[in-house]
Amino acid sequence: MDKSPGVALGRLILALDRTVATLVTAPRGLDVPVRSLAMIDIDDVHFGLGRAARSADVFLLVGLPDEVATELLAGLGIHRPVAVMSKTWSATLTDLADRLGIAVVAIDPHARWERIYNLVSRVLDTPRRSPDDGESMESGATGDLFELAAEVARRTGGLVSIEDERSHVLAYSTAGDEADELRRLSILGREGPPEMLAWLRQWGVMDALRTSARVIAVDARTDLGLRERRAVAIRAPGTAEFLGVVWLQRGAGSFAGDTDEVLTGAAAVAARVIARRRSAGTEHDELVRRLLGVRGDIVDVDALAAQLGVDPSVAVVLVGFATIGSADDAPVRLAENATRLSALTLHASAFSPLSVTSTIGDRAYVVLPGVTDDAAVEWARVSVDATQRQFGLRIRAVVAGPHELAAVPELRSQIDRVLDAAVVEGELIDDVTTVAGSRTGVLLGEIVALLAENPDLVDPRVSDLADLDDRTGSDFTVSLRAYLDHFGDVRSAADDLHVHPNTLRYRIRRIETLTGMNLEDPATRLVVALSLRVR
């Protein structure tokens, strides 16, 4: 249970600004605290997933048609969120939300949902300060980049946005109606108009920011709707590492006289905040890896659970993901791309808000507290399908548990055993499976791997037959394996090979003549079948 005071709904909406969010209705007022959020998409509803996510205070209704969103809210039961955020709200949804005491926040249709999720998360993660603390540049040092942006905007008279090194907006000041199109689209997570970006590149703005510590002035371009700007690079404390940019767009009035000094100070404060956040992220990843057993056995489960915000008394399910293919022939691995991992993390959080995700090598692991193995399998199936659809990447998922938290390292070991065997015997292991449901494939894969490491145990007649195929282009080994896999059923094997049954019968007789094999003998069939799998 999250005991944090949370963020008042009104403050959350104010932080997001009209660029992103517009309040439609708030039947319980704007002082209701918000502590958590969850993304719920059409797959979650269709497959009955995301039940654990319904304990969140804010729902992001991603791609839900009006009738589906209405049905979801009507069937929530006792717990109801503080607010729902949707791009397609309607009078029907608003009326129902009013009756249920749920606020409705309209999201700009152009906004990217992952950007909204990240922005809301940052606002909710902001440490609360007393109203008597006042505002200062150093308020940003507590970790609130939104407050830093607001303070810089107040001092300079402009509109502030803080971006990371990939031009993703981390925080921004409220804009009213003064934001130009480039700022608006940047906040929404959309790329700015191409002609604007081309002009900025041509002018050398980004090159200047990456190579200089001074404040860069950017002239207005009225023909492009681009207002005057100033910008300064954010660099890691004590180094020249480029961490991002503080942008200042001119508003209705002129910039203050000390704007450059304020921007320089803001960049220094933002650098400390970003560096500390990255350090915290590294520490979190290390905690999850400890939970997964990378550092050996878990010494203090209760302490580790407290640090991760997981109830140690609740059983967990572990899901492991890996790209389908061997380590050598997989062209792109799941863990190599931050976007794919971010998508997996968001999907896991929507299914189970207390889930934690991390990577080890080229595999990703998700710990799901308080869910059943059947629900985890369905969620994994949706995740595998979504990864294929969004990224064109085929992955395999293996589910282990539920079990106590202390057993997570052993669950990972079981999952790795399945994923390792799938490299050898993938055809016997489904794309989404459980540890219990893949035992045959695992054992066979390990036997075949053992034979591969000891070639003297491979039947030499199979090796000779394979060499003959290589020299002459014949299909003896393929035909023999199909024959054995179908337990000697010539018609079924011939169908798989797309040949006439008499053709296969001829090949089998020819194989027996060439090798001296007696394929009527059960022991011979077993040894030859295993040897063929090694080949």
Side-chain angles (χ1 to χ4, degrees), residues 252-272:
S254 300
F255 291 133
D258 62 346
T259 289
D260 286 3
E261 289 78 6
V262 173
L263 284 176
T264 300
V269 174
R272 293 197 293 272

Side-chain angles (χ1 to χ4, degrees), residues 37-45 50 53-54 56-74 76 81 83-90 93-94 96-97 102-109 111-113 116-117 120 350:
L37 78 156
M39 292 178 69
I40 299 179
D41 63 22
I42 190 65
D43 286 340
D44 294 326
V45 177
R54 297 180 186 182
D57 292 330
V58 174
F59 291 177
L60 306 186
L61 304 182
V62 181
L64 266 59
D66 184 59
E67 63 275 11
V68 176
T70 303
E71 183 180 353
L72 173 69
L73 294 188
L76 285 176
V84 295
M85 296 186 176
S86 173
K87 295 182 182 180
T88 57
W89 59 275
S90 66
L93 180 65
T94 302
L96 175 61
I102 302 171
V104 176
V105 180
I107 298 299
D108 189 295
R112 298 181 66 91
W113 276 115
I116 301 302
Y117 185 95
V120 175

Side-chain angles (χ1 to χ4, degrees), residues 249-322:
Q249 180 209 302
R250 182 170 176 171
S254 300
F255 291 133
D258 62 346
T259 289
D260 286 3
E261 289 78 6
V262 173
L263 284 176
T264 300
V269 174
R272 293 197 293 272
V273 176
I274 293 172
R276 185 159 48 250
R277 284 184 175 179
R278 291 187 176 182
S279 174
T282 301
E283 291 171 4
H284 176 79
D285 289 343
E286 178 61 23
L287 289 173
V288 179
R289 288 188 174 92
R290 279 180 53 199
L291 178 63
L292 292 169
V294 171
R295 299 288 181 259
D297 293 337
I298 303 175
V299 177
D300 191 337
V301 176
D302 290 341
L304 185 58
Q307 289 174 293
L308 290 170
V310 178
D311 185 346
S313 66
V314 174
V316 300
V317 173
L318 184 65
V319 184
F321 295 88

Side-chain angles (χ1 to χ4, degrees), residues 124-423:
L124 297 184
D125 288 344
T126 298
R128 301 274 60 79
R129 297 190 302 118
S130 165
D132 299 328
D133 288 346
E135 291 189 15
S136 70
M137 286 285 288
E138 289 303 314
S139 70
T142 67
D144 188 357
L145 290 176
F146 278 92
E147 289 188 5
L148 175 62
E151 175 65 3
V152 174
R154 185 183 69 81
R155 290 196 183 187
T156 61
L159 284 63
V160 178
S161 59
I162 301 173
E163 299 182 354
D164 65 14
E165 72 278 12
R166 297 182 301 278
S167 299
H168 294 165
V169 176
L170 301 175
Y172 52 90
S173 63
T174 55
D177 297 320
E178 300 171 4
D180 63 17
E181 192 68 357
L182 179 58
R183 173 186 167 90
R184 191 182 76 85
L185 291 177
S186 296
I187 291 173
L188 294 175
R190 300 289 179 180
E191 190 176 75
E195 60 272 18
M196 286 187 183
L197 299 178
W199 185 78
L200 287 173
R201 284 193 294 269
Q202 181 181 349
W203 197 84
V205 173
M206 294 311 299
D207 286 343
L209 286 168
R210 289 180 179 275
T211 58
S212 173
R214 63 187 176 86
V215 175
I216 305 298
V218 183
D219 294 334
R221 281 290 300 267
T222 55
D223 56 324
L224 297 177
L226 190 67
R227 293 197 177 193
E228 178 187 351
R229 277 173 166 74
R230 294 190 191 179
V232 64
I234 304 170
R235 302 191 184 280
T239 74
E241 181 187 358
F242 181 74
L243 299 180
V245 179
V246 179
W247 288 96
L248 180 68
Q249 180 209 302
R250 182 170 176 171
S254 300
F255 291 133
D258 62 346
T259 289
D260 286 3
E261 289 78 6
V262 173
L263 284 176
T264 300
V269 174
R272 293 197 293 272
V273 176
I274 293 172
R276 185 159 48 250
R277 284 184 175 179
R278 291 187 176 182
S279 174
T282 301
E283 291 171 4
H284 176 79
D285 289 343
E286 178 61 23
L287 289 173
V288 179
R289 288 188 174 92
R290 279 180 53 199
L291 178 63
L292 292 169
V294 171
R295 299 288 181 259
D297 293 337
I298 303 175
V299 177
D300 191 337
V301 176
D302 290 341
L304 185 58
Q307 289 174 293
L308 290 170
V310 178
D311 185 346
S313 66
V314 174
V316 300
V317 173
L318 184 65
V319 184
F321 295 88
T323 306
I324 292 181
S326 70
D328 292 327
D329 64 26
V332 183
R333 305 225 239 295
L334 179 66
E336 287 178 346
N337 186 287
T339 301
R340 299 186 190 102
L341 290 176
S342 177
L344 179 62
T345 301
L346 293 181
H347 197 54
S349 298
F351 176 54
S352 175
L354 295 179
S355 64
V356 291
T357 304
S358 189
T359 60
I360 300 174
D362 60 357
R363 293 172 181 174
Y365 302 88
V366 180
V367 181
L368 299 169
V371 304
T372 66
D373 53 345
D374 289 342
V377 167
E378 286 303 315
W379 171 78
R381 201 178 309 280
V382 172
S383 298
V384 167
D385 291 344
T387 302
Q388 171 73 33
R389 185 172 62 251
Q390 294 173 15
F391 304 111
L393 185 66
R394 288 192 63 206
I395 61 173
R396 174 174 278 113
V398 181
V399 178
H403 218 298
E404 60 187 16
L405 196 64
V408 168
E410 174 58 27
L411 297 182
R412 181 175 73 87
S413 176
Q414 295 172 8
I415 287 173
D416 284 345
R417 192 177 174 192
V418 177
L419 293 175
D420 290 341
V423 174

